[in-house]
């Protein structure tokens, strides 16, 4: 039997290690099966590492800055692209991730996305003609203003001081966007985001995500107003394009993914970027459809499978694609709070969870995952070759 293993992060384990752990345990339990591993990510932490484990590219070490302006190491995966030029895969979380901040530092009113702008500049310096930016798990809520400042829009003194500072901006302080756009005129800029939220409104980044980053309800309302003020200034200084069919303005703050990463998605749209669901970008990059079509079973995995997972996640995207290929999918999860009916509706033929909570050291989680993978292998694999 041909088994394709396509995993996301699992608690504190990065996806390549998860895939290798599942594959090793599966092989010991069902040695006659032929295995292939495709670690992936939804665009958040681990995006570059997952793709680097599969794609024939090279990792370029660069220096970025974290949400408080401190220098941090980062990496860009540069993949050759023939005559079209190389593709650079970036992970915004390496520069603006929540994990870079201690608990007391998680204040989205003052954290900045400027480090993501430095990653973009590094990708251009490497000669990338296509830039795919994984966006998810960030600790910023500044509408990507810091990112734009790093590219020469306004100045860091005004745009890289966090979301709250945007409330006092003046029109002349958003100058330079046209110059920044010119940098990407011949570059295919892709926003690979873990959410499709707009920038503003009840489903926008401040309303939905600011609280998770430490904002109080009052601060979240203040951030909503500040980001709205910033978007309004940008729209007046740089009027949006008009849709030729409807005659309506194409508002980047309303575009899919504009609210991703506290509004980093909005900044990427301003630069001419286009939205793709992060997991779909990863599955396309690693050639999932080709591997899936040659498989008898797909095994996917994630740390927690819950209601949000049913709206968009690695397991959901994998099961949907597998369904189209006519291949069954089973899920290994640290925890699942989804009913059997809901998981079947999501296209999963089985959901298997750890017998113990996923909390604990990575080694403990890995050991539990080994036992779980072996049990599932014995359940699904034929007893003979």
């Amino acid at each position: 039997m041909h088994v394709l293993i396509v995993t996301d992060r699992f608690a504190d384990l990065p996806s390549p290690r998860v895939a290798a752990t599942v594959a090793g345990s599966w092989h010991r339990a069902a040695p006659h099966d032929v295995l292939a591993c495709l670690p992936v990510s939804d665009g958040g932490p681990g995006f570059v590492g997952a793709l680097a484990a599969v794609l024939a590219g090279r990792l370029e070490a660069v220096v970025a800055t974290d949400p408080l302006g401190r220098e941090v190491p980062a990496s860009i995966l540069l993949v050759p692209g023939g005559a079209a030029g190389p593709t650079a895969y970036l992970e915004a979380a390496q520069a603006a991730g929540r994990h870079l901040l201690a608990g007391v530092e998680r204040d989205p009113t003052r954290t900045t996305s400027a480090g993501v702008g430095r990653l973009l500049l590094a990708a251009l310096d490497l000669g990338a003609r296509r830039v795919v930016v994984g966006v998810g798990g960030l600790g910023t809520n500044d509408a990507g203003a810091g990112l734009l400042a790093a590219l020469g829009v306004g100045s860091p003194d005004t745009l890289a001081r966090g979301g709250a500072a945007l409330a006092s901006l003046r029109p002349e302080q958003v100058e330079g966007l046209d110059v920044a756009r010119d940098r990407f005129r011949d570059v295919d800029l892709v926003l690979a985001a873990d959410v499709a939220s707009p920038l503003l409104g009840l489903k926008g980044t401040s309303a939905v995500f600011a609280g998770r980053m430490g904002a109080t309800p009052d601060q979240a309302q203040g951030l909503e107003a500040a980001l709205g003020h910033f978007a309004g200034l940008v729209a007046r200084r740089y009027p949006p394009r008009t849709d030729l069919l409807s005659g309506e303005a194409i508002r980047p703050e309303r575009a899919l993914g504009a609210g991703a990463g506290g509004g980093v998605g909005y900044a990427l749209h301003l630069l001419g970027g286009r939205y793709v669901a992060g997991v779909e970008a990863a599955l396309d990059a690693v050639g999932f459809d080709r591997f899936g079509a040659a498989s008898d079973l797909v095994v996917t995995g994630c740390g927690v499978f819950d209601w949000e997972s049913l709206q968009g996640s690695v397991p959901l995207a994998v099961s949907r694609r597998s369904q189209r290929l006519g291949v069954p999918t089973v899920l290994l999860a640290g925890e699942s709070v989804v009913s059997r009916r809901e998981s079947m509706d999501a296209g999963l033929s089985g959901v298997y969870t750890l017998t113990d909570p996923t909390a604990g050291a990575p080694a403990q989680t890995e050991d539990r995952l080994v036992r779980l993978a072996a049990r599932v292998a014995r359940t699904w694999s034929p007893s003979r070759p």
Side-chain angles (χ1 to χ4, degrees):
M1 185 168 76
H2 290 256
V3 180
L4 177 61
I5 299 168
V6 188
T7 56
D8 195 0
R9 294 176 62 87
F10 207 107
D12 293 327
L13 299 177
S15 56
R17 186 169 167 185
V18 173
T21 298
V22 172
S25 180
W26 193 289
H27 176 70
R28 289 188 293 273
H32 301 297
D33 287 350
V34 178
L35 309 178
C37 295
L38 297 178
V40 294
S41 164
D42 63 0
F47 182 68
V48 165
L51 295 177
V54 180
L55 301 182
R58 71 178 190 271
L59 285 172
E60 297 282 351
V62 298
V63 176
T65 51
D66 75 2
L68 295 179
R70 301 168 297 205
E71 288 193 342
V72 290
S75 58
I76 293 173
L77 176 62
L78 199 65
V79 179
T87 293
Y89 292 93
L90 282 60
E91 183 180 314
Q94 291 186 354
R98 285 193 299 271
H99 67 282
L100 299 175
L101 300 169
V104 296
E105 295 175 332
R106 294 184 178 181
D107 179 359
T109 65
R110 65 189 185 95
T111 49
T112 175
S113 59
V116 184
R118 290 185 60 167
L119 287 179
L120 285 169
L121 290 174
L124 295 180
D125 288 343
L126 290 169
R129 307 312 302 163
R130 180 169 177 261
V131 178
V132 182
V133 187
V135 179
L138 305 193
T140 58
N141 201 113
D142 68 345
L147 180 162
L148 295 172
L151 297 176
V153 180
S155 72
D157 291 340
T158 56
L159 297 187
R161 294 190 295 122
L166 301 178
S168 58
L169 285 181
R170 300 186 302 276
E172 66 272 15
Q173 293 175 314
V174 296
E175 295 292 332
L177 180 58
D178 47 355
V179 177
R181 284 172 170 165
D182 283 342
R183 293 175 180 266
F184 295 90
R185 185 175 301 279
D186 298 319
V187 175
D188 181 17
L189 181 60
V190 181
L191 159 63
D194 62 345
V195 296
S197 306
L199 180 67
L200 305 170
L202 294 177
K203 296 183 179 180
T205 190
S206 300
V208 178
F209 302 110
R212 303 182 190 182
M213 294 183 288
T216 65
D218 286 344
Q219 287 175 325
Q221 289 184 10
L223 286 167
E224 173 75 7
L227 269 56
H229 175 66
F230 175 57
L233 290 180
V234 172
R236 288 193 292 274
R237 177 61 185 85
Y238 303 95
R241 294 181 293 110
T242 299
D243 186 285
L244 296 178
L245 294 177
S246 66
E248 296 181 356
I250 301 174
R251 303 295 295 270
E253 66 270 22
R254 300 176 184 172
L256 289 175
V264 162
Y266 167 69
L268 294 174
H269 277 298
L270 288 176
L271 295 171
R274 57 186 178 88
Y275 164 82
V276 176
V279 62
E280 300 294 348
L283 291 174
D284 285 340
V286 300
F288 173 86
D289 289 352
R290 176 169 56 89
F291 284 95
S295 302
D296 301 299
L297 177 70
V298 174
V299 179
T300 188
C302 66
V304 177
F305 191 60
D306 55 16
W307 182 85
E308 288 190 3
S309 304
L310 295 175
Q311 312 309 306
S313 63
V314 168
L316 182 68
V318 168
S319 68
R320 295 300 192 212
R321 288 200 180 202
S322 298
Q323 276 186 305
R324 293 196 292 270
L325 296 171
V327 181
T329 302
V330 296
L331 169 66
L332 312 186
E335 177 185 4
S336 175
V337 295
V338 172
S339 71
R340 179 168 180 170
R341 178 183 294 275
E342 289 171 321
S343 65
M344 291 177 65
D345 288 344
L348 294 168
S349 299
V351 176
Y352 302 86
T353 60
L354 298 183
T355 54
D356 298 318
T358 58
Q364 294 174 317
T365 301
E366 192 169 22
D367 184 57
R368 296 166 187 151
L369 184 56
V370 166
R371 297 196 295 270
L372 178 62
R375 177 163 63 89
V376 176
R378 289 191 291 268
T379 299
W380 282 85
S381 181
S383 58
R384 295 185 299 277

